Amino acid sequence: ADSEEKYSVMDFRPFIDQTVFSKVIEDLFESAEDDDTFIREVWNIVTQLTAYSSEITETPRYPLETFLAGGGACEDKALLFASMILAAPVAWDVELVYMDIHNPQDPQAVNHVVIYLDTGEREYTIETTTNRTMEAYPDGVTGWYLPLDE
Protein backbone atom coordinates (compact mmCIF):
# COMPACT_ATOMS: atom_id res chain seq x y z
CA ALA A 1 0.00 0.00 0.00
CA ASP A 2 1.16 3.52 -0.81
CA SER A 3 1.66 5.71 2.19
CA GLU A 4 1.75 9.46 1.70
CA GLU A 5 4.34 11.37 3.65
CA LYS A 6 3.04 14.41 5.49
CA TYR A 7 5.20 17.39 6.24
CA SER A 8 4.38 20.12 8.69
CA VAL A 9 6.06 23.46 8.10
CA MET A 10 5.48 26.97 9.35
CA ASP A 11 3.80 29.39 6.96
CA PHE A 12 6.39 32.15 6.61
CA ARG A 13 4.15 34.43 4.53
CA PRO A 14 3.04 36.61 7.50
CA PHE A 15 6.69 37.70 7.87
CA ILE A 16 6.74 39.37 4.45
CA ASP A 17 7.04 43.16 4.76
CA GLN A 18 7.80 45.16 1.66
CA THR A 19 6.85 48.57 3.12
CA VAL A 20 10.24 49.26 4.73
CA PHE A 21 11.99 48.88 1.35
CA SER A 22 9.53 50.78 -0.86
CA LYS A 23 11.45 53.99 -1.52
CA VAL A 24 14.91 52.50 -2.06
CA ILE A 25 13.57 49.61 -4.16
CA GLU A 26 11.50 51.93 -6.35
CA ASP A 27 14.65 53.96 -7.01
CA LEU A 28 16.67 50.81 -7.73
CA PHE A 29 13.95 49.51 -10.06
CA GLU A 30 13.76 52.79 -11.98
CA SER A 31 17.55 52.90 -12.43
CA ALA A 32 17.87 49.29 -13.65
CA GLU A 33 18.13 48.83 -17.41
CA ASP A 34 15.70 45.90 -17.38
CA ASP A 35 13.85 43.47 -15.10
CA ASP A 36 16.66 40.91 -15.06
CA THR A 37 19.20 43.55 -14.00
CA PHE A 38 16.91 44.70 -11.20
CA ILE A 39 16.32 41.14 -9.95
CA ARG A 40 20.07 40.44 -9.98
CA GLU A 41 20.79 43.67 -8.09
CA VAL A 42 18.33 42.72 -5.33
CA TRP A 43 19.83 39.20 -5.27
CA ASN A 44 23.34 40.74 -4.98
CA ILE A 45 22.25 42.81 -1.98
CA VAL A 46 20.67 39.83 -0.20
CA THR A 47 23.53 37.41 -0.90
CA GLN A 48 26.12 39.81 0.52
CA LEU A 49 24.59 39.04 3.91
CA THR A 50 25.85 36.02 5.82
CA ALA A 51 23.90 32.80 5.32
CA TYR A 52 23.99 30.33 8.11
CA SER A 53 22.51 26.90 8.24
CA SER A 54 19.65 26.06 10.52
CA GLU A 55 16.47 24.08 10.53
CA ILE A 56 13.47 25.33 8.59
CA THR A 57 11.34 24.89 11.71
CA GLU A 58 12.95 27.74 13.65
CA THR A 59 11.23 31.08 14.00
CA PRO A 60 11.94 33.30 11.01
CA ARG A 61 12.93 36.95 11.24
CA TYR A 62 11.16 39.89 9.70
CA PRO A 63 13.06 41.13 6.62
CA LEU A 64 14.33 44.31 8.25
CA GLU A 65 15.68 42.25 11.18
CA THR A 66 17.60 40.03 8.73
CA PHE A 67 18.95 43.06 6.89
CA LEU A 68 20.04 44.84 10.07
CA ALA A 69 21.51 41.64 11.56
CA GLY A 70 23.59 41.18 8.42
CA GLY A 71 22.34 37.68 7.69
CA GLY A 72 20.12 34.80 8.53
CA ALA A 73 19.01 31.29 7.65
CA CYS A 74 17.53 30.34 4.29
CA GLU A 75 14.00 31.35 5.22
CA ASP A 76 15.20 34.72 6.54
CA LYS A 77 17.07 35.53 3.35
CA ALA A 78 14.20 34.27 1.16
CA LEU A 79 11.75 36.48 3.08
CA LEU A 80 14.10 39.46 2.69
CA PHE A 81 14.49 38.89 -1.07
CA ALA A 82 10.74 38.42 -1.56
CA SER A 83 9.93 41.54 0.48
CA MET A 84 12.37 43.62 -1.54
CA ILE A 85 11.01 42.31 -4.86
CA LEU A 86 7.43 42.93 -3.73
CA ALA A 87 8.38 46.55 -2.98
CA ALA A 88 9.02 47.13 -6.69
CA PRO A 89 6.31 49.01 -8.63
CA VAL A 90 5.32 45.90 -10.64
CA ALA A 91 2.79 43.07 -10.27
CA TRP A 92 4.94 39.96 -10.49
CA ASP A 93 4.09 36.50 -9.21
CA VAL A 94 6.35 35.83 -6.21
CA GLU A 95 6.16 32.58 -4.24
CA LEU A 96 8.01 30.94 -1.36
CA VAL A 97 9.11 27.43 -2.31
CA TYR A 98 9.61 24.88 0.45
CA MET A 99 11.92 22.17 -0.87
CA ASP A 100 14.49 19.46 -0.21
CA ILE A 101 17.90 20.97 -0.95
CA HIS A 102 19.42 17.50 -1.30
CA ASN A 103 16.71 16.22 -3.68
CA PRO A 104 15.35 19.23 -5.59
CA GLN A 105 13.25 17.16 -8.01
CA ASP A 106 12.22 14.36 -5.62
CA PRO A 107 11.72 15.76 -2.12
CA GLN A 108 12.36 13.42 0.79
CA ALA A 109 12.11 16.18 3.39
CA VAL A 110 11.44 19.89 3.73
CA ASN A 111 14.68 21.61 4.69
CA HIS A 112 15.13 24.70 2.50
CA VAL A 113 13.30 27.74 1.13
CA VAL A 114 13.87 29.42 -2.24
CA ILE A 115 11.91 31.99 -4.25
CA TYR A 116 9.89 31.44 -7.41
CA LEU A 117 9.47 34.62 -9.44
CA ASP A 118 7.50 35.09 -12.67
CA THR A 119 7.77 38.52 -14.29
CA GLY A 120 5.38 37.59 -17.09
CA GLU A 121 8.37 37.55 -19.44
CA ARG A 122 10.55 35.07 -17.57
CA GLU A 123 10.40 32.62 -14.67
CA TYR A 124 13.12 32.30 -12.04
CA THR A 125 13.82 29.92 -9.15
CA ILE A 126 16.14 31.96 -6.97
CA GLU A 127 18.60 30.67 -4.35
CA THR A 128 19.34 33.35 -1.76
CA THR A 129 21.92 31.57 0.43
CA THR A 130 24.86 31.74 -1.99
CA ASN A 131 26.30 34.46 -4.19
CA ARG A 132 27.78 31.89 -6.58
CA THR A 133 24.70 31.37 -8.73
CA MET A 134 21.27 32.96 -8.54
CA GLU A 135 19.49 30.16 -10.40
CA ALA A 136 21.00 27.09 -8.79
CA TYR A 137 18.32 24.61 -9.95
CA PRO A 138 18.47 24.37 -13.77
CA ASP A 139 16.25 21.27 -13.72
CA GLY A 140 13.63 23.00 -11.60
CA VAL A 141 12.32 22.36 -8.11
CA THR A 142 9.60 20.01 -7.00
CA GLY A 143 8.32 21.44 -3.77
CA TRP A 144 5.52 23.31 -2.11
CA TYR A 145 4.82 26.71 -3.67
CA LEU A 146 3.13 29.35 -1.50
CA PRO A 147 2.03 32.49 -3.38
CA LEU A 148 2.69 35.89 -1.84
CA ASP A 149 -0.09 38.39 -2.19
CA GLU A 150 0.67 42.06 -1.97
Side-chain angles (χ1 to χ4, degrees), residues 9 20-21 33 53 62 90 98 103 107 109 111 116 121 123 130 136:
V9 294
V20 295
F21 302 106
E33 65 185 55
S53 177
Y62 285 96
V90 290
Y98 295 73
N103 303 286
N111 54 28
Y116 168 81
E121 300 290 318
E123 295 178 55
T130 178

Side-chain angles (χ1 to χ4, degrees), residues 88-130:
V90 290
W92 292 338
D93 178 22
V94 184
E95 301 182 20
L96 293 177
V97 183
Y98 295 73
M99 63 173 286
D100 182 346
I101 196 167
H102 307 294
N103 303 286
Q105 285 79 45
D106 183 25
Q108 308 298 309
V110 177
N111 54 28
H112 196 54
V113 180
V114 295
I115 298 295
Y116 168 81
L117 172 60
D118 183 352
T119 66
E121 300 290 318
R122 180 157 181 240
E123 295 178 55
Y124 300 80
T125 300
I126 299 173
E127 173 60 64
T128 60
T129 61
T130 178

Side-chain angles (χ1 to χ4, degrees), residues 14-143:
F15 289 86
I16 294 292
D17 180 11
Q18 66 266 31
T19 59
V20 295
F21 302 106
S22 295
K23 181 64 178 142
V24 69
I25 291 298
E26 286 176 26
D27 291 347
L28 184 62
F29 181 81
E30 297 302 327
S31 68
E33 65 185 55
D34 57 30
D35 292 347
D36 189 68
T37 301
F38 167 72
I39 292 163
R40 288 183 185 282
E41 284 301 317
V42 173
W43 178 77
N44 282 329
I45 292 167
V46 172
T47 60
Q48 295 309 304
L49 305 176
T50 303
Y52 54 83
S53 177
S54 66
E55 293 302 310
I56 196 172
T57 54
E58 81 170 44
T59 304
R61 293 179 176 162
Y62 285 96
L64 189 56
E65 290 179 280
T66 300
F67 189 80
L68 294 175
C74 65
E75 70 273 9
D76 303 319
K77 293 183 78 176
L79 290 166
L80 174 60
F81 180 87
S83 294
M84 292 173 81
I85 290 294
L86 288 169
V90 290
W92 292 338
D93 178 22
V94 184
E95 301 182 20
L96 293 177
V97 183
Y98 295 73
M99 63 173 286
D100 182 346
I101 196 167
H102 307 294
N103 303 286
Q105 285 79 45
D106 183 25
Q108 308 298 309
V110 177
N111 54 28
H112 196 54
V113 180
V114 295
I115 298 295
Y116 168 81
L117 172 60
D118 183 352
T119 66
E121 300 290 318
R122 180 157 181 240
E123 295 178 55
Y124 300 80
T125 300
I126 299 173
E127 173 60 64
T128 60
T129 61
T130 178
N131 61 7
R132 289 191 299 276
T133 180
M134 184 172 84
E135 296 178 86
Y137 307 98
D139 298 326
V141 170
T142 299

